């Protein structure tokens, strides 16, 4: 297979309501939509999930754009490949920049599946027709707002709710949520907002029967996480500091966590994600699918991955309408009960809604590789 043309669309879609975490607030989803065209005219799609600001991880839309246009796309010129797995090896000389790589890599998998006339789901070993999903809720102004927000999403059908926390908006908020929703699968995500000196406070979260506590400490730390995991029974889940299988192995061997938030974008795409899933399965680590407020293409890729049997815990893959008035695909994801339907058809199984894309498009760069 060979790529002949790449289109890089820069989009900005407003969020229905702003999303607040311990590190900042977002009111729009800005991202790059990748369109690869091969020698037979087959078109395949990927999404680059880096945010506008380097506050979740180091990458930004601009750094990803730079890596993609300067190194990845030129590297595709005259590159004959037999399988999308080859991408990881070819570009492993580029350090880091997983989100830039993932955007291209996931499109290569879509292309390969379309070429073989199979679903991408089948290609990556997904089997489920529908996937139970959860919702991630940003930090709210006060407890009343929090309870109202949770209630809204529970009424829609979500049965697993993740609450963002930060110092000062943690114990009381979680206690209120647990009291109001005694049977709901609840979890907390700190996005690295705490220090090891907060262990006493974090241990208080152990009484609320949370499914897990996500990333309390820094995105480089394995040691303090291991210390906290020793002192609490609630599972610690790592997110920010897992960029590769190697990171997952370190976390596991050091006892830093019992659960893994897996994001295609954060680990550089499907090849690495599939290796991580295997490792987690063999080593009794709970692996589940995280999210980056994806638009339709990224959301479809997440759902395909989460349709594998190993994913037993509902992921951060809410319906399209959780964040957007309109999604960029013709088949927006809708909640049925607590689940989303996995797209069928060759490749990724969804198609672009050009009307919507036109409205939110900032720029398109076309690179011809002939
Ligand atoms: O920490 O999982 C996270 C969103 C942006 C950046 C980091 C995270 C999140 C979410 C939202 O929790 C997940 C989603 O709904 O896409
Ligand atoms: Mg997280």
């Amino acid at each position: 297979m060979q790529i002949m043309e790449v289109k890089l669309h820069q989009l900005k879609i407003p969020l229905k309501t702003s999303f607040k975490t311990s590190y900042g607030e977002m009111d729009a989803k800005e991202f790059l939509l990748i369109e690869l065209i091969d020698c037979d005219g087959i078109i395949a799609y990927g999404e680059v999930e880096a945010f506008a600001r380097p506050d979740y991880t180091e990458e930004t839309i601009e750094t990803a754009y730079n890596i993609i246009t300067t190194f990845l796309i030129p590297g595709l010129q005259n590159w004959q490949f037999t399988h999308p797995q080859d991408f990881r090896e070819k570009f492993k000389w580029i350090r880091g920049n997983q989100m830039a790589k993932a955007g291209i890599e996931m499109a290569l998998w879509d292309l390969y599946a379309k070429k073989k006339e199979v679903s991408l789901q089948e290609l990556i070993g997904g089997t489920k027709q529908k996937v139970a999903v959860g919702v991630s809720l940003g930090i709210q102004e006060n407890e009343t707002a929090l309870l109202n927000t949770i209630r809204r999403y529970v009424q829609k059908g979500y049965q697993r709710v993740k609450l963002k926390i930060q110092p000062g908006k943690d114990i009381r908020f979680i206690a209120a949520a647990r009291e109001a929703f005694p049977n709901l699968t609840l979890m907390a995500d700190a996005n690295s907002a705490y220090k090891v000196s907060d262990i006493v406070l974090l241990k208080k979260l152990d009484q609320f029967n949370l499914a897990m506590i996500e990333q309390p400490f820094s995105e480089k730390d394995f040691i303090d996480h291991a210390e906290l995991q020793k002192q609490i029974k609630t599972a610690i889940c790592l997110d920010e500091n897992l960029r590769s299988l190697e990171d997952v192995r370190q976390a596991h061997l050091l006892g830093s966590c019992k659960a893994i938030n897996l994001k295609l974008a954060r680990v550089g795409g499907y090849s690495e994600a599939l290796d991580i899933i295997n490792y987690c399965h063999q080593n009794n680590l709970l692996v589940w699918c995280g999210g980056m407020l994806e638009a339709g293409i990224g959301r479809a890729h997440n759902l395909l991955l989460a349709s594998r049997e190993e994913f037993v815990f509902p992921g951060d893959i809410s319906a399209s309408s959780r964040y957007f008035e309109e999604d960029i695909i013709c088949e927006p994801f809708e909640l049925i009960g607590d689940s989303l339907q996995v797209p069928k058809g060759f490749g990724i199984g969804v198609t672009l809604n050009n009307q919507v894309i036109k409205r939110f498009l900032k720029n398109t760069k076309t690179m011809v590789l002939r």
Side-chain angles (χ1 to χ4, degrees):
M1 287 190 297
Q2 195 175 337
I3 306 302
M4 291 312 203
E5 191 174 323
V6 182
K7 287 185 184 160
L8 253 159
H9 307 285
Q10 278 178 270
L11 286 100
K12 181 174 183 174
I13 313 181
L15 300 181
K16 279 177 158 177
T17 55
S18 76
F19 186 73
K20 190 169 183 299
T21 63
S22 62
Y23 61 75
E25 196 159 354
M26 268 175 76
D27 52 21
K29 167 73 178 175
E30 289 183 68
F31 64 101
L32 304 174
L33 174 65
I34 305 282
E35 233 180 295
L36 299 182
I37 302 154
D38 87 336
C39 43
D40 297 331
I42 298 174
I43 305 175
Y45 305 109
E47 207 175 282
V48 179
E49 310 299 351
F51 295 127
R53 293 155 52 84
D55 48 10
Y56 163 67
T57 60
E58 307 85 346
E59 285 186 86
T60 69
I61 297 167
E62 292 286 324
T63 68
Y65 188 88
N66 179 269
I67 293 291
I68 289 168
T69 54
T70 311
F71 301 108
L72 292 172
I73 296 178
L76 296 176
Q77 181 134 28
N78 299 320
W79 182 49
Q80 307 265 352
F81 63 99
T82 50
H83 195 277
Q85 289 263 15
D86 304 344
F87 176 88
R88 181 171 50 166
E89 188 59 27
K90 179 168 175 65
F91 290 104
K92 75 172 183 202
W93 67 271
I94 301 178
R95 306 297 182 206
N97 295 286
Q98 285 85 359
M99 294 185 193
K101 289 178 177 176
I104 303 286
E105 202 251 18
M106 60 178 87
L108 290 177
W109 282 83
D110 179 25
L111 178 67
Y112 185 78
K114 283 171 175 164
K115 201 128 176 135
K116 293 260 169 206
E117 303 196 333
V118 297
S119 67
L120 180 50
Q121 180 188 30
E122 184 186 332
L123 192 64
I124 60 158
T127 51
K128 294 184 248 175
Q129 312 250 312
K130 58 176 193 157
V131 171
V133 297
V135 66
S136 173
L137 303 181
I139 297 170
Q140 307 290 310
E141 208 44 59
N142 50 49
E143 283 106 308
T144 311
L146 176 64
L147 298 188
N148 287 335
T149 307
I150 297 174
R151 192 167 303 113
R152 263 206 355 260
Y153 285 95
V154 168
Q155 278 165 1
K156 287 180 202 290
Y158 294 102
Q159 293 177 23
R160 191 236 70 187
V161 175
K162 175 163 118 181
L163 304 178
K164 296 286 187 179
I165 56 168
Q166 68 178 39
K169 290 188 165 181
D170 39 39
I171 309 295
R172 277 186 302 118
F173 278 52
I174 297 293
R178 178 47 85 212
E179 195 188 356
F181 301 92
N183 301 315
L184 186 61
T185 303
L186 268 181
M187 54 190 285
D189 186 358
N191 288 105
S192 299
Y194 296 87
K195 301 185 298 292
V196 69
S197 53
D198 296 317
I199 279 195
V200 178
L201 182 146
L202 291 167
K203 281 171 77 172
K204 294 186 184 151
L205 289 174
D206 221 9
Q207 63 186 295
F208 300 115
N209 189 28
L210 299 178
M212 59 190 87
I213 302 170
E214 201 172 315
Q215 197 73 39
F217 302 133
S218 102
E219 78 285 0
K220 292 265 191 280
D221 168 78
F222 291 106
I223 305 298
D224 296 343
H225 282 108
E227 184 55 37
L228 178 63
Q229 185 66 90
K230 257 190 264 168
Q231 298 191 34
I232 60 175
K233 60 178 195 303
T234 307
I236 292 179
C237 173
L238 291 181
D239 173 356
E240 277 88 333
N241 47 358
L242 306 177
R243 317 296 176 87
S244 63
L245 173 62
E246 199 179 341
D247 291 338
V248 172
R249 222 182 112 244
Q250 296 207 31
H252 174 58
L253 295 178
L254 290 168
S256 313
C257 65
K258 294 179 180 165
I260 302 291
N261 172 325
L262 180 59
K263 297 181 184 174
L264 279 172
R266 208 192 54 240
V267 303
Y270 281 105
S271 297
E272 197 74 11
L274 292 170
D275 286 350
I276 291 172
I277 293 166
N278 278 332
Y279 181 87
C280 290
H281 194 61
Q282 282 163 19
N283 291 281
N284 216 13
L285 285 166
L286 179 70
V287 63
W288 60 280
C289 186
M292 297 280 287
L293 301 92
E294 284 84 355
I297 294 298
R299 204 161 287 272
H301 279 294
N302 283 351
L303 203 56
L304 295 172
L305 186 72
S307 78
R308 285 182 57 111
E309 294 293 332
E310 295 91 343
F311 290 79
V312 293
F313 187 80
D316 284 342
I317 321 173
S318 38
S320 297
S321 62
R322 184 261 179 273
Y323 290 116
F324 312 114
E325 292 292 351
E326 293 173 295
D327 205 340
I328 60 163
I329 53 174
C330 297
E331 312 81 2
F333 294 107
E334 288 169 19
L335 208 60
I336 304 169
D338 67 344
S339 298
L340 300 181
Q341 211 75 37
V342 178
K344 293 187 198 312
F346 297 152
I348 188 172
V350 296
T351 55
L352 294 185
N353 184 331
N354 289 311
Q355 247 83 52
V356 174
I357 289 179
K358 220 176 287 167
R359 217 161 320 132
F360 299 117
L361 190 63
K362 285 167 63 179
N363 186 47
T364 294
K365 182 183 178 75
T366 303
M367 294 176 83
V368 178
L369 301 180
R370 273 165 251 275

